[in-house]
Each structure stands twice: as structure tokens, then as C-alpha cells.
Amino acid sequence: AQSVTQLDSQVPVFEEAPVELRCNYSSSVSVYLFWYVQYPNQGLQLLLKYLSGSTLVKGINGFEAEFNKSQTSFHLRKPSVHISDTAEYFCAVRNRDDKIIFGKGTRLHILP
Amino acid sequence: KAGVTQTPRYLIKTRGQQVTLSCSPISGHRSVSWYQQTPGQGLQFLFEYFSETQRNKGNFPGRFSGRQFSNSRSEMNVSTLELGDSALYLCASGQGAIYGYTFGSGTRLTVV
């Protein structure tokens, strides 16, 4: 079964510093990968997705992610974070049954 | 356009009762998925409906059920509530998993 592993449950980073949130997936078939963000007391919002083509995917709010098939990774990056980026971030994969399976999430803490 | 609307936002129920949650998807979206979110288990897939038919089901007991109406609105029902059912229940609508989902703000269910 396909699964998603987010290696860090929490990531603290100083404001205006770069950040990388790590995600690894397991799959034996072609994958569709997603990153979602959840702000406090809200639902999830799609940040970006990889379906095919260029391995570097750009999303909203200055985030980007790189699909690496050999390392089965889909890490999320932002060159300079802002206090408003404080949220929980979820990596997800579409499995062969067309379900979206989510990782456990990574809480991003922005330090002043 | 209007987003995904979930009602009610908050619910407090007693063990043994039943509850019905409602979700109105984005206009034109025929797929509605439900997820349970808890601190310990993260986001777990409950079921997906597409054009009034259940297309996918997660690993939840039969106490959890759902349905979709001809206007794509969906309801989920939980019977014989247990303390462990306390969670944020999220509804997501879309045109298919590869396009990504749009989530509602959720219904926070507390079972006492």
C-alpha cells in the first residue's frame, strides 16, 4: 500500500530564513503528489501538486517542491519564511484506488 | 465562487448518541470525500462519494456511514458514538483526486 512519511513532526525556523519540510513516499506505480497547508482552526488548502512533467513544482505563497523519483521524495521548500507561514503542512499521495493518503503533518513554527 | 461548506462547525454529543454532519461541495464538483482528523492518528480517509455512489471506503467500522444527494451535497452519520470519535471531521470536494481537493473548515465533534 502506498504511504507517506513526513520525517519531522515540528520544524522551528527564524523569520526570513529558508525552510525545507521533508516528505518521502512509497509507491510502486506512478504517483501524484500533493502538499497541503492547514492554518489554525481551518481546513486544508492545496499548496501545490505534482502530476507529471517538470520535477520542480511551484505553488502558492512562494512555496515549491521537488519530485525526486530515485529518492522517492517530494520535499517542500521556501527561500524566506514569514510569520504568516505558521501552520501545519501535509504531504499526500494519490494511491491506485484514487484515494488521497496523507502524512502525519509537520508543524512549522516561525521564530521572530 | 463559494467554497466547501460544512455544518455545524461544532458539536457536543453524549456517548451512545448518533450524529449527522453535512457538507455542501463547490458547485460543479461531483466528488465528496470525508476525513477524520485527530492529534494521534492524523488525517484518516473515511469514504468518498461520486455522483451519489460510494466509490471508496476507508477502514472505519460500520457505525460510520455516508450518503450523497443528487445535488452533490453529502452527509455523514456516526451512530452509537464513542469517546474516541471526538475529532475534526473534514469534507473535501473535487473533480477527481489528481486535481486536488478543496476542503471545508470542518466540524469539530466532541463526545462526552
mmCIF file of all heavy atoms in Angstrom, chain B residues 28 36-37 45 58 65 71 83 85-86 94-95 105:
data_model
loop_
_atom_site.group_PDB
_atom_site.id
_atom_site.type_symbol
_atom_site.label_atom_id
_atom_site.label_comp_id
_atom_site.label_asym_id
_atom_site.label_seq_id
_atom_site.Cartn_x
_atom_site.Cartn_y
_atom_site.Cartn_z
ATOM 1 N N GLY B 28 -20.511 22.246 -9.048
ATOM 2 C CA GLY B 28 -19.878 21.560 -10.167
ATOM 3 C C GLY B 28 -18.993 20.398 -9.760
ATOM 4 O O GLY B 28 -18.624 19.567 -10.597
ATOM 5 N N GLN B 36 -11.328 12.013 8.859
ATOM 6 C CA GLN B 36 -11.311 12.241 10.292
ATOM 7 C C GLN B 36 -9.913 12.698 10.689
ATOM 8 O O GLN B 36 -8.924 12.061 10.309
ATOM 9 C CB GLN B 36 -11.658 10.953 11.049
ATOM 10 C CG GLN B 36 -11.692 11.119 12.556
ATOM 11 C CD GLN B 36 -11.687 9.784 13.286
ATOM 12 O OE1 GLN B 36 -10.716 9.030 13.223
ATOM 13 N NE2 GLN B 36 -12.777 9.482 13.983
ATOM 14 N N GLN B 37 -9.809 13.781 11.431
ATOM 15 C CA GLN B 37 -8.502 14.265 11.847
ATOM 16 C C GLN B 37 -8.417 14.279 13.373
ATOM 17 O O GLN B 37 -9.225 14.918 14.045
ATOM 18 C CB GLN B 37 -8.230 15.682 11.312
ATOM 19 C CG GLN B 37 -6.817 16.172 11.615
ATOM 20 C CD GLN B 37 -6.526 17.540 11.039
ATOM 21 O OE1 GLN B 37 -7.421 18.354 10.819
ATOM 22 N NE2 GLN B 37 -5.251 17.811 10.771
ATOM 23 N N PHE B 45 -8.803 8.671 6.003
ATOM 24 C CA PHE B 45 -9.844 8.667 4.985
ATOM 25 C C PHE B 45 -11.030 7.840 5.456
ATOM 26 O O PHE B 45 -10.878 6.688 5.869
ATOM 27 C CB PHE B 45 -9.273 8.090 3.694
ATOM 28 C CG PHE B 45 -10.263 7.895 2.599
ATOM 29 C CD1 PHE B 45 -10.706 8.974 1.848
ATOM 30 C CD2 PHE B 45 -10.733 6.633 2.300
ATOM 31 C CE1 PHE B 45 -11.616 8.788 0.822
ATOM 32 C CE2 PHE B 45 -11.638 6.445 1.274
ATOM 33 C CZ PHE B 45 -12.081 7.523 0.534
ATOM 34 N N GLY B 58 -12.718 3.862 3.609
ATOM 35 C CA GLY B 58 -11.565 3.645 4.463
ATOM 36 C C GLY B 58 -11.848 2.532 5.458
ATOM 37 O O GLY B 58 -12.844 1.812 5.366
ATOM 38 N N SER B 65 -21.176 6.042 8.388
ATOM 39 C CA SER B 65 -21.814 5.883 7.084
ATOM 40 C C SER B 65 -21.994 7.249 6.448
ATOM 41 O O SER B 65 -21.879 8.278 7.104
ATOM 42 C CB SER B 65 -23.161 5.177 7.213
ATOM 43 O OG SER B 65 -24.048 5.978 7.992
ATOM 44 N N ASN B 71 -27.842 16.671 -5.667
ATOM 45 C CA ASN B 71 -27.222 17.996 -5.836
ATOM 46 C C ASN B 71 -25.775 18.001 -5.342
ATOM 47 O O ASN B 71 -25.184 19.059 -5.184
ATOM 48 C CB ASN B 71 -28.033 19.063 -5.101
ATOM 49 C CG ASN B 71 -28.095 18.822 -3.602
ATOM 50 O OD1 ASN B 71 -27.564 17.833 -3.097
ATOM 51 N ND2 ASN B 71 -28.742 19.727 -2.879
ATOM 52 N N LEU B 83 -16.234 7.767 22.851
ATOM 53 C CA LEU B 83 -15.353 8.887 23.195
ATOM 54 C C LEU B 83 -14.273 9.084 22.123
ATOM 55 O O LEU B 83 -13.907 10.215 21.800
ATOM 56 C CB LEU B 83 -14.698 8.654 24.550
ATOM 57 C CG LEU B 83 -15.627 8.634 25.762
ATOM 58 C CD1 LEU B 83 -14.836 8.355 27.042
ATOM 59 C CD2 LEU B 83 -16.405 9.937 25.895
ATOM 60 N N ASP B 85 -14.469 8.913 19.076
ATOM 61 C CA ASP B 85 -14.946 9.541 17.843
ATOM 62 C C ASP B 85 -14.755 11.053 17.873
ATOM 63 O O ASP B 85 -15.008 11.734 16.881
ATOM 64 C CB ASP B 85 -16.429 9.228 17.610
ATOM 65 C CG ASP B 85 -16.681 7.740 17.422
ATOM 66 O OD1 ASP B 85 -15.760 7.028 16.963
ATOM 67 O OD2 ASP B 85 -17.796 7.288 17.752
ATOM 68 N N SER B 86 -14.337 11.570 19.007
ATOM 69 C CA SER B 86 -14.061 13.003 19.098
ATOM 70 C C SER B 86 -12.948 13.355 18.129
ATOM 71 O O SER B 86 -11.850 12.779 18.188
ATOM 72 C CB SER B 86 -13.640 13.380 20.522
ATOM 73 O OG SER B 86 -14.681 13.186 21.438
ATOM 74 N N GLY B 94 -14.110 17.828 -5.027
ATOM 75 C CA GLY B 94 -13.209 17.943 -6.158
ATOM 76 C C GLY B 94 -13.789 17.309 -7.389
ATOM 77 O O GLY B 94 -14.926 16.843 -7.404
ATOM 78 N N GLN B 95 -12.961 17.318 -8.427
ATOM 79 C CA GLN B 95 -13.361 16.715 -9.691
ATOM 80 C C GLN B 95 -12.584 15.435 -9.931
ATOM 81 O O GLN B 95 -12.642 14.870 -11.006
ATOM 82 C CB GLN B 95 -13.141 17.723 -10.823
ATOM 83 C CG GLN B 95 -14.054 18.932 -10.703
ATOM 84 C CD GLN B 95 -13.614 20.086 -11.586
ATOM 85 O OE1 GLN B 95 -12.466 20.488 -11.561
ATOM 86 N NE2 GLN B 95 -14.524 20.616 -12.366
ATOM 87 N N SER B 105 -13.967 23.844 6.360
ATOM 88 C CA SER B 105 -13.308 24.187 7.627
ATOM 89 C C SER B 105 -13.507 23.119 8.687
ATOM 90 O O SER B 105 -12.879 23.176 9.743
ATOM 91 C CB SER B 105 -13.834 25.522 8.153
ATOM 92 O OG SER B 105 -13.491 26.547 7.255
#
